[in-house]
Amino acid sequence: MVAHVLPRGSLLLARPTSRRRGSHVTGTAPPVVGRGQRTGCRPSGLTVPRQGRVSALALQSDGLLLSERTSPEEVKREIQRCYGLVHKLGRGVVYLGSSRVQVGHPHYEQAKQLAREVALLLDCTTWTGAGPGLMDAAFKGALEAKKPVGGFKIARESGEWTSSNFHPYLPPETYLTCRFFSARKHGLVDAAVRNNPSDMTAVVALPGGIGTLDEVFEILALIQLERIGSKFPVPFLLMNYDSFYSKLLDFLDDSGKWGTVARGEVEALWKVCGGNSEASDYLAEFYGLPQTKMNNNKISVEGSGFME
């Protein structure tokens, strides 16, 4: 069974003591004691801006305090676990998207239908950040298609159930709860790598906010600089539902005019899709799939009641 809890010694059950000083909070955390660690305290001179009390170290919502990294080996071990999960479940399509979009929103339903259709089309594992919102929609679509799913959860996202280390319905062997964002990103990137011509993977960017854009541009930069670690091209689809990303595309077009990106460079890195049919048609063409499989896939999706 894949471990999906934080490392021993990484949690404290007590809140840090603090006292208000002007517009800042000054505090000293309780000692961090773990296996093979010496007792120690955080420096008392650390100040945290009042608006940023819930820092990278603290999960105030559930009374837990994450300890600091004590060695880069901790990050390395978590990355290795992420790679191990990808190796076990298989590479496939990685979905990036907002954790805030709720069931019933048009983008949620579109994302679920897309994930279902693509899972049937490519017959691959569906990967997400294992959070709520559009990540959850992608999982639901793939599970309706009866295809495998895998995820890299992080303890803190916007949403009600993400403060727990456990996913509400996925079997524990299908996901990891990551302590480090860097490890989570390594896992998501590795899940989309193509090392054989027969590998059918993709990155799909659904509508999202800061976290989604962070992941989108990191992966896009890796593709641009040919540092993604893939022997064969990985298709990248930007789902521009209801013109959600149109202003971003305008900004990138202006960047070309200013000379901060090469003209036509961004367009060559991804495929902008206005809807699900355009996305599935593009993937079918990219991988040279027979038209019969494409037609059967569309019939299967339409018969399920999920229409674009």
Side-chain angles (χ1 to χ4, degrees), residues 263-303:
R263 288 187 177 273
E265 181 180 34
V266 177
E267 292 86 343
L269 297 175
W270 59 19
K271 169 67 175 177
V272 179
C273 300
N276 291 349
S277 294
E278 187 178 359
S280 57
D281 287 346
Y282 174 78
L283 288 174
E285 182 181 357
F286 185 94
Y287 285 113
L289 297 175
Q291 190 65 32
T292 53
K293 180 174 182 179
M294 188 68 195
N295 292 336
N296 290 338
N297 184 43
K298 287 185 176 180
I299 292 172
S300 177
V301 172
E302 290 170 2

Side-chain angles (χ1 to χ4, degrees), residues 83-96:
Y83 284 179
L85 186 64
V86 172
H87 180 75
K88 183 178 77 170
L89 299 178
R91 294 185 167 103
V93 180
V94 175
Y95 290 87
L96 314 172

